[in-house]
Amino acid sequence: MSNLQLSRAATAAAQAPPEGPIKIHGPEAFEAMRRAGQLAAQALDMLVPWVKPGVSTQRLDDLVLEFALDHKATPAPLHYRGFPRAICTSINHVVCHGIPSSKPMREGDMLNIDVTLIVEGWHGDTSRMYAVGQLNRRAERLIDVTYEALMRGIAAVKPGHTVGHIGAAIQTYAESERCSVVRDFCGHGLGRVFHDRPNILHYGMDGEGPELKAGMLFTIEPMINLGKDTVKVLADGWTAVTRDRELSAQFEHTVGVTATGCEIFTTSPGGFHKPPYTIA
């Protein structure tokens, strides 16, 4: 679940990270984050057969809540600053923070599901795109570009680089594919805290921002649009949509900086990295 850049548009949907130094974590924290991240990824895997025409996003929310309780975990979004559901479900031109509802999904919809589970006090935060039936080629291409942008951002994570290296890798690739990077939202530090320092911008230049150091924990979660990068937040105070109503996609992983690069905590156990997902 992304943190809003308050320099752009402050809403009730986000919270600025606390002031102070960026936390550096040790091996015990990394082990805890593996457990939290894997459980969140398992929840997304569990939803694969349920994402189909006629199923409501409220049903998906119910399934994740049940899954969390069965595994002695807590969905972090539920009641977080007033958010009413356990997960975020963002369809088509919804950029992020979509609220699950009873409305059934339709053939050809593209859907982002964002899950954050608290396991023994640690947050595993991840999101993934899903196809509702058969997508058109524009939607398929946007999903492919967004996933590749995320992985290029992750590849830029290593000690000595900066947050700007991550943003530059994402922005350069996305714009080369004639897509735009949403600037109103960003990744964030996390661990025992849901939203912490540093902010991870998905655009920028090499060398900008805080230096990356082994032991840092944060999300990378680019939102990529087919049209312009401008968004607006609806009257519910949460749902962010593209102003031009063009499609938007997002993928998110939680990572930890290691001595030589980074570790992804939220890799899909079932191999469901990006659609189309084939169930054996």
Side-chain angles (χ1 to χ4, degrees), residues 51-53 106-109 131-135:
V51 178
K52 55 189 176 182
R106 299 180 300 178
E107 177 77 24
D109 283 341
V132 184
Q134 184 65 45
L135 297 182

Side-chain angles (χ1 to χ4, degrees), residues 27-40 258 263-266:
E28 290 184 359
F30 271 59
E31 182 57 38
M33 290 297 287
R34 290 183 194 111
R35 292 193 294 271
Q38 278 300 285
L39 192 65
T258 67
E263 177 178 350
I264 303 173
F265 299 122
T266 47

Side-chain angles (χ1 to χ4, degrees), residues 160-168 171 183 198-212:
H161 275 190
T162 67
V163 167
H165 283 84
I166 300 171
Q171 180 183 7
R183 285 155 164 77
N199 278 340
I200 305 298
L201 306 185
H202 303 119
Y203 60 94
M205 297 178 62
D206 293 351
E208 289 183 337
E211 181 181 347
L212 303 179

Side-chain angles (χ1 to χ4, degrees), residues 38 41-42 44-45 48 128 147 266-279:
Q38 278 300 285
Q42 287 172 33
L44 290 180
D45 283 4
V48 167
R128 209 179 292 167
Y147 180 77
T266 47
T267 300
S268 165
F272 301 127
H273 305 298
K274 69 180 182 70
Y277 302 129
T278 302
I279 303 172

Side-chain angles (χ1 to χ4, degrees), residues 23-24 158-161 210-218 256-258:
K23 295 182 180 71
I24 301 297
K158 64 180 181 179
H161 275 190
E211 181 181 347
L212 303 179
K213 298 179 181 180
M216 287 183 178
L217 306 172
F218 50 79
V257 184
T258 67

